[in-house]
Amino acid sequence: MRNWRDYPPLELQPLLALALDEIVEHGYDGTSVRKIAGRAGVTVPALYYHFENKQAMLRELLDHAMRIVLTHTRAALDEAGEDCPARLSALVEALVLYTAHHRDLAFLDSERRSLTPQNRAHYVARRDELERDLRDTIRGGVAQGVFHTPHPDECGRAILSMCQGVAGWYRPGGPVDPPTMARRYADLALATVEYRR
């Protein structure tokens, strides 16, 4: 990856792009294969040729989301090196930039409850990789004596929730651009773990 701060426009197979629009607009339960097929101008059997069902579309969208997130966050961590404050800042920046640039895809995390048990386990395992990177970075900072929180695991969950929350309120063209917002959130994350410069 050339630059982990670069989030090009989302490239999805057309049926998945329409499914994403429908789920964001109506929720998973309010979305039907018939509606997606109608938007695509294809028959329901034609849609089933590409995807087994609506569940398969949701799983593929969430897999795509995790591929983007993990690729960017891992590149950010690699660039940051071993310095825990730099690692936490880079990780949070990458998460906020992802959420700001791909709000609809980031919103789908709230639809994980609609996954079948098997698909949910698959998604949660990928999501746990991200949470583990965040937790390990915070624990590392505590061990190095640069983060002073007595609650590193709770800080990790709080920071992850804070970053994901951007999908609920951020709108392009607002008063703060994504890079500025990402840097501010990195500062908030460092304050959360009680980093002392």
Side-chain angles (χ1 to χ4, degrees), residues 19-98:
L20 176 60
D21 291 345
E22 278 289 323
I23 293 169
V24 168
E25 190 174 335
H26 303 289
Y28 180 80
D29 291 335
T31 296
S32 71
V33 170
R34 187 171 303 284
K35 284 183 183 176
I36 297 167
R39 283 181 87 157
V42 299
T43 64
V44 171
L47 188 146
Y48 283 137
Y49 176 79
H50 298 280
F51 295 97
E52 182 183 356
N53 51 32
K54 182 174 70 165
Q55 181 72 198
M57 296 174 119
L58 179 61
R59 177 183 165 143
E60 179 55 36
L61 285 166
L62 287 168
D63 273 352
H64 190 74
M66 291 312 303
R67 281 192 298 273
I68 293 172
V69 170
L70 290 172
T71 299
H72 283 77
T73 55
R74 298 235 163 107
L77 289 171
D78 287 346
E79 183 180 291
E82 297 304 314
D83 180 72
C84 288
R87 289 174 69 80
L88 182 59
S89 293
L91 189 52
V92 169
E93 276 191 60
L95 278 169
V96 171
L97 289 170
Y98 160 74

Side-chain angles (χ1 to χ4, degrees), residues 23-189:
I23 293 169
V24 168
E25 190 174 335
H26 303 289
Y28 180 80
D29 291 335
T31 296
S32 71
V33 170
R34 187 171 303 284
K35 284 183 183 176
I36 297 167
R39 283 181 87 157
V42 299
T43 64
V44 171
L47 188 146
Y48 283 137
Y49 176 79
H50 298 280
F51 295 97
E52 182 183 356
N53 51 32
K54 182 174 70 165
Q55 181 72 198
M57 296 174 119
L58 179 61
R59 177 183 165 143
E60 179 55 36
L61 285 166
L62 287 168
D63 273 352
H64 190 74
M66 291 312 303
R67 281 192 298 273
I68 293 172
V69 170
L70 290 172
T71 299
H72 283 77
T73 55
R74 298 235 163 107
L77 289 171
D78 287 346
E79 183 180 291
E82 297 304 314
D83 180 72
C84 288
R87 289 174 69 80
L88 182 59
S89 293
L91 189 52
V92 169
E93 276 191 60
L95 278 169
V96 171
L97 289 170
Y98 160 74
T99 306
H101 288 292
H102 298 310
R103 286 179 308 130
D104 288 352
L105 204 56
F107 162 80
L108 284 190
D109 182 70
S110 65
E111 292 291 349
R112 68 184 181 276
R113 65 185 181 275
S114 301
L115 290 167
T116 63
Q118 181 180 358
N119 286 340
R120 188 178 308 116
H122 172 78
Y123 175 68
V124 167
R126 298 295 310 279
R127 192 175 183 274
D128 284 352
E129 292 179 44
L130 175 62
E131 195 167 337
R132 187 167 45 252
D133 288 343
L134 185 55
R135 183 180 62 239
D136 290 350
T137 298
I138 296 170
R139 286 180 179 176
V142 170
Q144 289 177 6
V146 293
F147 298 160
H148 298 276
T149 176
H151 311 292
D153 293 351
E154 290 83 353
C155 282
R157 285 192 289 273
I159 290 167
L160 184 58
S161 295
M162 174 180 76
C163 294
Q164 290 175 320
V166 171
W169 62 264
Y170 175 74
R171 298 294 176 267
V176 181
D177 65 2
T180 302
M181 183 172 55
R183 288 190 297 273
R184 289 178 183 176
Y185 270 60
D187 288 343
L188 289 170

